[in-house]
Amino acid sequence: MSHETLSPELEAVVARAAAAAPAFAATSPEDRARAIVAVADALETAKSDLVTIGIRETGLTEARLSSEVTRTAVQLRLFADTLVDGGYLDARIDPADPDFALGVRPDIRRTHLPLGPVINFSASNFPFAFSVMGGDSAAILAAGCPLIVKAHSGHPELSDATAEVAATALAAAGMPDGVFHLIHGREAGVAVLKDPRIKAGAFTGSITVGRLLADIAANRPAPIPFYGELGSVNPVFITAGAIAERADVIASGYLTSVSGSAGQLCTKPGFAFIPAGSALPEAIRAAADELPEHRLLDPRIARSFAERRDAILASPGVRPVIDGGIRFDEHGHGWATPTIVAVSLDDFRHSKEALVEEAFGPLSILVETPADTDHAALMPEFTEGNLTGTLHLSADEATGDTPNAAELHALVDALAQQVGRVLFNGWSTGVAVTPAQQHGGPWPATTNDSSTSVGTAAITRFLRPVAYQNAPTAFLPAPLRDDNPLSVPQSIAPAGESKSWGHRWH
Amino acid sequence: MSHETLSPELEAVVARAAAAAPAFAATSPEDRARAIVAVADALETAKSDLVTIGIRETGLTEARLSSEVTRTAVQLRLFADTLVDGGYLDARIDPADPDFALGVRPDIRRTHLPLGPVINFSASNFPFAFSVMGGDSAAILAAGCPLIVKAHSGHPELSDATAEVAATALAAAGMPDGVFHLIHGREAGVAVLKDPRIKAGAFTGSITVGRLLADIAANRPAPIPFYGELGSVNPVFITAGAIAERADVIASGYLTSVSGSAGQLCTKPGFAFIPAGSALPEAIRAAADELPEHRLLDPRIARSFAERRDAILASPGVRPVIDGGIRFDEHGHGWATPTIVAVSLDDFRHSKEALVEEAFGPLSILVETPADTDHAALMPEFTEGNLTGTLHLSADEATGDTPNAAELHALVDALAQQVGRVLFNGWSTGVAVTPAQQHGGPWPATTNDSSTSVGTAAITRFLRPVAYQNAPTAFLPAPLRDDNPLSVPQSIAPAGESKSWGHRWH
């Protein structure tokens, strides 16, 4: 089953996806919603079989994988809601206006159409939620784009099994033939990404591979958008006030966030900037009594983590706070317990090269800053774009009414400049799937920070605006018709040159 | 004034733009709206001086340039309306929900922040509306991004004069120092585009230059979005029914659209597919009595047009309908009258290479198709992405209730797949600036068809979503606060796992 997909099979996949595009684009949002809900139902029905395969292939726990299936189903259902709501179409109607300042204005109406076939490269660390039927796939299918998933080599059998469940559900729900395909192998994925019939790419994975694929997409004869979610070190800033107020709570939250899923999450806090001399390291040590050992996803990730961990521990001035470790079993699998280290800001600065790069696994660095540190200036000094940035404040500081309020505001602004999500008094792991979620950030967190890869706003990545000028009703897409048969939100411009606001100060 | 901008001047421009970014981002939308309106007012006040320079530098007529100043001012005012309306912020609020299906859901709120400094490469053919203070510049400033305009070499003095008017108005309106700069020279533009402090690029011009710049933006160490509006041949399809009904009206509209601004518009109809043996060519000949001669924008464009015209006329089977021409004056300027040619579909197919490429100037090709032609299939055969596609129908056909309705629907769908705007019974030149406008299209019409370069939706290109999780009110951006001090539209998600729609069929 999970062999590298080769031509002519690969050519048939792309040809079928391209052939399916017009029929899939013509399905109603409600029919696509029903089909997506059917996939969610089918995944939940097949949960125990799928989780069994997932445990074997990924080493993730039953509890984690079961809840991930639930999350995956919830994601699919949320996109069904998005489709039925119709706001995602951003339907705009500008009625004709004979008195427009620039001459007779025609009737112009604008909605969004699916891009066409899309390839989604799935991730290793979320074998359901960012894999075959994960968030990107849900957004692509919801948009009405035929989907080709490139399976991750870390869970090929689970990918095949999930694909079979999904394909069966989509067909039973009446979706056109050819709207969903699974392929295996990196070369196959690259060949599809280069194919002129493919109109966009999605990816979750490393900076190295993401950059490679983004360059391929950008340098095609006809470039296409490529939405890659890559690396992030997710800086955390913890004030002296917050530590004085609740060192134990912060210590235990930090440990849970760093060690959950063996630290193999793109939102794992890689750094926490804390005041030098604070009680937090001791509180972390105290909270670390019973840390379980977790298997890392695959031997390559384990070896890479072991190397990063050695390099960090060997860096001048780095002191272990929790001296976890990694051991390898007879299959080459690495089993890790969390490692937390501390380093002064000066030493961190001197060893920037060795320390700043993401360590994918259960490791985090406490950077101890002197009292006079300008924390807002640390962000651009040490990291580029990140998915998240977090601030822990005391209850007093949260009022914005303490002597350090200006400094805190500057830090929040600096975080907002460099991340997609700014958190307060919480932890960046565990990304809520909601309409307002933003999972993205400036390079290298993502290849394209104008959109999100989690949350229902993700659907916009696979749509393209098209305007219709003076179209007879018979030729208007449903969302743009005056009788609004789909009951979508329509934004109707007032007649006249504009709302005339721009003329107030004439 | 209009010398090539060199370092250290260029470095100072980028440094000042970068330094201005936080203060500009912190201005209120209403203050930016007032400033943009002040620029519109100032341009209108300076209109006659600016138009005088424009006539000399571009050869465009006084009437055309005067109306272009008006259009430019209207564009700026529309963006002011957009700012005050606040819908462009897409403010989303997902309240905390302790009963969310995936565990306690935090409070998440999402809005859009400006990207940072942006470079805009201005166009030759719209020395106001797509130049120093044109649509892209209006969108960039409205978004709150410091703006560096690379002047087009075709109107350097007009660029300097416009920049002085704009800079004075922006400063008088209290905008931060450094939010607007003008530079000259292609090397200077490329250097700025490569600078890590620059966060996006905009461009209107040729496919060749647009591709070069898009590749630079994509291949930077940190890639940035690049919004280029490039080439388009804007196919038109005219049915036998439409010609039978109103050959004269269509002939005169076509001629006006092809010859206006000497055909130097990105929306000029390059091809019209008409039934073989129809009365339209004769009607066009009859309408062509008094076609004026226009100067082309510059000698390079004129020479290029003369070459394309010769190649098209020399192509086998091409017959002149209106045998216009081009003559060169003692300054090397080309003066053109419109050329319309006809060719059979067979001959067109045989000479595709010679005929399909855009001819920038007053020339258009009538392609005469046999009665059994599948017009929907012609689109992908002959053109890639286009800004517009047009269909002329009879009144009967517009009802969608004629025997050829299925064929017409297929053609509309094919057009929508390949263009950004589908027009009915009108002409693609003269792009209305309204909220629903879509001026963009698949490659090579634009480098990025997820957005528009005309109309108020263009502002989204220069914004980036950021979410705030459990933020204390004191640290929330104004558009996300419960008391909504800016009165922006806020989309507030219902509590509960979702709207529960996805569970209907459980």
Side-chain angles (χ1 to χ4, degrees):
Chain A
M1 287 273 279
S2 30
H3 56 285
E4 164 102 22
T5 312
L6 302 170
S7 56
E9 192 192 344
L10 198 60
E11 164 57 27
V13 162
V14 177
R16 287 180 60 215
F24 198 29
T27 56
S28 75
E30 180 158 331
D31 283 347
R32 289 202 302 284
R34 284 176 187 269
I36 287 169
V37 170
V39 172
D41 289 346
L43 288 177
E44 290 189 315
T45 302
K47 185 196 286 200
S48 80
D49 289 351
L50 296 174
V51 165
T52 302
I53 305 172
I55 294 170
R56 175 163 41 79
E57 286 191 313
T58 69
L60 293 168
T61 65
E62 198 274 341
R64 153 68 199 268
L65 289 172
S66 286
S67 73
E68 198 182 320
V69 173
T70 304
R71 174 185 163 166
T72 305
V74 169
Q75 285 176 172
L76 288 158
R77 292 182 207 289
L78 281 166
F79 278 103
D81 289 350
T82 302
L83 286 174
V84 173
D85 173 76
Y88 77 100
L89 292 165
D90 190 19
R92 300 175 180 219
I93 299 180
D94 299 342
D97 183 357
D99 303 321
F100 190 60
L102 306 177
V104 177
R105 190 176 80 178
D107 178 288
I108 301 183
R109 299 167 186 238
R110 181 186 196 253
T111 186
H112 282 73
L113 302 184
L115 288 182
V118 177
I119 180 166
N120 175 20
F121 294 82
S122 54
S124 68
N125 60 340
F126 279 92
F128 292 105
F130 285 82
S131 189
V132 176
M133 276 295 125
D136 287 320
S137 292
I140 293 162
L141 291 173
C145 296
L147 166 65
I148 299 172
V149 173
K150 187 264 173 192
H152 195 279
S153 57
H155 51 273
E157 284 181 54
L158 178 60
S159 299
D160 283 335
T162 307
E164 194 170 324
V165 169
T168 304
L170 289 167
M175 290 298 101
D177 182 59
V179 300
F180 169 64
H181 308 266
L182 182 73
I183 62 171
H184 292 271
R186 187 176 289 193
E187 279 177 41
V190 167
V192 170
L193 186 63
K194 287 180 175 172
D195 192 287
R197 291 165 290 188
I198 299 299
K199 300 304 181 188
F203 169 82
T204 307
S206 71
I207 294 179
T208 308
V209 178
R211 179 71 201 229
L212 181 89
L213 296 175
D215 287 350
I216 288 171
N219 293 301
R220 289 168 32 132
I224 53 173
F226 182 79
Y227 297 98
E229 193 256 88
L230 316 180
S232 185
V233 298
N234 307 296
V236 178
F237 293 82
I238 309 177
T239 68
I243 295 173
E245 192 175 274
R246 51 180 202 285
D248 292 355
V249 174
I250 293 171
S252 106
Y254 175 61
L255 265 182
T256 302
S257 188
V258 170
S259 60
S261 298
Q264 300 164 115
L265 301 177
C266 50
T267 52
K268 183 204 74 179
F271 299 92
F273 293 88
I274 64 173
S278 88
L280 193 62
E282 190 46 46
I284 291 168
R285 233 185 314 265
D289 265 359
E290 35 185 328
L291 292 168
E293 189 181 59
H294 277 295
R295 200 193 95 186
L296 296 183
L297 284 162
D298 64 53
R300 191 188 50 75
I301 286 174
R303 286 193 303 274
S304 164
F305 175 70
E307 279 167 27
R308 286 288 300 131
R309 182 175 173 278
D310 288 347
I312 290 165
L313 284 168
S315 188
V318 167
R319 291 160 278 125
V321 174
I322 299 176
D323 197 6
I326 177 163
R327 67 172 179 85
F328 287 86
D329 68 15
E330 68 274 25
H331 307 293
H333 278 301
W335 295 75
T337 48
T339 299
I340 307 288
V341 302
V343 64
S344 73
L345 179 58
D346 267 357
D347 286 332
F348 184 57
R349 204 166 252 147
H350 288 134
S351 306
K352 205 174 129 174
E353 301 286 302
L355 295 176
V356 157
E357 193 197 325
E358 184 177 3
F360 194 72
L363 184 150
S364 189
I365 300 176
L366 300 168
V367 182
E368 299 178 317
T369 61
D372 61 351
T373 303
D374 177 0
H375 288 91
L378 291 180
M379 280 293 291
E381 181 180 351
F382 288 116
T383 81
E384 300 177 280
N386 279 283
L387 293 169
T388 72
T390 298
L391 186 51
H392 286 270
L393 305 174
S394 70
D396 264 8
E397 286 166 335
T399 64
D401 213 18
T402 47
N404 64 344
E407 197 198 334
L408 295 174
H409 271 106
L411 178 54
V412 171
D413 287 346
L415 286 169
Q417 276 303 307
Q418 286 189 256
V419 309
R421 179 166 51 118
V422 182
L423 293 91
F424 292 79
N425 298 345
W427 299 99
S428 44
T429 49
V431 186
V433 186
T434 77
Q437 186 55 272
Q438 174 57 22
H439 192 65
W443 174 268
T446 63
T447 55
N448 185 319
D449 61 3
S450 67
S451 63
T452 179
S453 84
V454 176
T456 52
I459 193 172
T460 59
R461 295 175 296 167
F462 308 109
L463 297 166
R464 182 172 72 77
V466 176
Y468 294 77
Q469 181 169 323
N470 287 343
T473 302
F475 293 94
L476 268 178
L480 299 180
R481 278 165 45 181
D482 287 337
D483 62 349
N484 197 2
L486 302 179
S487 298
V488 304
Q490 292 177 329
S491 171
I492 302 175
E497 165 185 344
S498 71
K499 289 171 203 164
S500 295
W501 187 90
H503 287 280
R504 272 192 211 157
W505 297 297
H506 250 277
Chain B
M1 286 274 280
S2 30
H3 56 286
E4 164 101 22
T5 312
L6 301 170
S7 58
E9 192 192 343
L10 197 60
E11 163 58 27
V13 162
V14 178
R16 286 180 60 216
F24 198 29
T27 56
S28 75
E30 180 159 333
D31 283 347
R32 289 203 302 283
R34 284 175 187 271
I36 287 169
V37 170
V39 172
D41 289 347
L43 288 177
E44 290 189 315
T45 303
K47 186 196 285 199
S48 80
D49 289 351
L50 296 174
V51 166
T52 303
I53 306 172
I55 294 170
R56 175 162 42 80
E57 286 192 312
T58 69
L60 293 168
T61 64
E62 198 275 341
R64 153 70 199 267
L65 289 172
S66 285
S67 73
E68 198 183 319
V69 173
T70 304
R71 173 183 165 168
T72 305
V74 168
Q75 287 177 172
L76 287 158
R77 292 182 207 288
L78 280 167
F79 279 104
D81 289 350
T82 301
L83 286 175
V84 174
D85 174 75
Y88 77 100
L89 293 165
D90 190 19
R92 300 174 179 220
I93 299 181
D94 299 342
D97 182 357
D99 303 320
F100 191 59
L102 305 176
V104 177
R105 190 176 79 178
D107 178 288
I108 301 183
R109 299 167 186 238
R110 181 185 197 254
T111 186
H112 282 73
L113 302 184
L115 288 183
V118 177
I119 180 165
N120 176 21
F121 295 82
S122 54
S124 68
N125 59 340
F126 279 92
F128 293 105
F130 285 82
S131 188
V132 176
M133 276 295 126
D136 287 320
S137 292
I140 292 162
L141 291 173
C145 296
L147 166 65
I148 299 171
V149 173
K150 187 265 172 192
H152 195 279
S153 58
H155 49 275
E157 283 182 54
L158 178 59
S159 298
D160 283 335
T162 307
E164 194 170 324
V165 169
T168 304
L170 289 168
M175 290 297 102
D177 181 58
V179 301
F180 168 64
H181 308 267
L182 182 73
I183 62 170
H184 291 272
R186 187 177 290 194
E187 279 178 42
V190 167
V192 170
L193 185 63
K194 288 180 173 172
D195 192 289
R197 292 164 290 189
I198 299 299
K199 301 304 182 188
F203 169 82
T204 307
S206 71
I207 294 178
T208 308
V209 177
R211 179 72 201 227
L212 181 90
L213 296 175
D215 287 350
I216 288 171
N219 293 301
R220 291 168 31 131
I224 53 173
F226 183 79
Y227 297 98
E229 193 257 88
L230 316 181
S232 186
V233 297
N234 307 298
V236 177
F237 293 83
I238 308 177
T239 66
I243 295 172
E245 191 175 275
R246 53 181 200 284
D248 292 354
V249 174
I250 292 171
S252 107
Y254 175 63
L255 265 182
T256 303
S257 188
V258 170
S259 59
S261 299
Q264 301 163 113
L265 300 177
C266 50
T267 51
K268 184 204 73 179
F271 298 92
F273 293 90
I274 63 172
S278 88
L280 193 62
E282 190 45 47
I284 291 169
R285 233 185 314 265
D289 266 358
E290 36 184 327
L291 291 167
E293 188 181 58
H294 277 295
R295 199 193 95 186
L296 296 181
L297 284 162
D298 64 54
R300 191 188 51 76
I301 286 174
R303 286 192 303 275
S304 164
F305 174 70
E307 279 168 26
R308 285 287 301 130
R309 182 176 173 278
D310 287 347
I312 289 165
L313 285 168
S315 188
V318 167
R319 292 160 278 126
V321 174
I322 301 177
D323 197 6
I326 177 164
R327 66 171 180 88
F328 286 85
D329 68 16
E330 68 274 25
H331 308 293
H333 279 301
W335 295 75
T337 48
T339 299
I340 307 287
V341 300
V343 64
S344 73
L345 180 58
D346 267 357
D347 285 333
F348 184 57
R349 205 166 249 146
H350 288 135
S351 306
K352 203 175 132 176
E353 301 287 303
L355 295 176
V356 158
E357 193 197 327
E358 183 177 4
F360 195 73
L363 184 149
S364 189
I365 300 176
L366 299 168
V367 182
E368 298 178 317
T369 61
D372 61 350
T373 302
D374 176 0
H375 288 91
L378 291 181
M379 280 294 289
E381 181 181 350
F382 288 116
T383 82
E384 300 178 280
N386 279 283
L387 293 170
T388 72
T390 298
L391 186 52
H392 286 270
L393 305 173
S394 71
D396 263 7
E397 287 167 332
T399 65
D401 214 19
T402 45
N404 64 345
E407 197 198 334
L408 295 174
H409 271 106
L411 178 54
V412 171
D413 287 346
L415 286 169
Q417 277 303 307
Q418 286 188 257
V419 309
R421 179 166 51 118
V422 182
L423 293 90
F424 293 79
N425 298 345
W427 299 98
S428 44
T429 48
V431 186
V433 186
T434 76
Q437 186 55 271
Q438 174 57 23
H439 191 66
W443 175 268
T446 63
T447 56
N448 186 320
D449 62 3
S450 66
S451 62
T452 179
S453 83
V454 176
T456 53
I459 192 172
T460 60
R461 295 176 296 167
F462 308 108
L463 297 167
R464 181 172 72 77
V466 177
Y468 294 77
Q469 180 168 323
N470 287 341
T473 302
F475 293 94
L476 269 178
L480 299 179
R481 278 165 45 183
D482 288 337
D483 62 349
N484 197 2
L486 302 179
S487 298
V488 303
Q490 293 177 330
S491 169
I492 302 176
E497 164 185 344
S498 71
K499 288 172 203 164
S500 293
W501 186 90
H503 286 281
R504 272 192 213 159
W505 297 297
H506 250 278

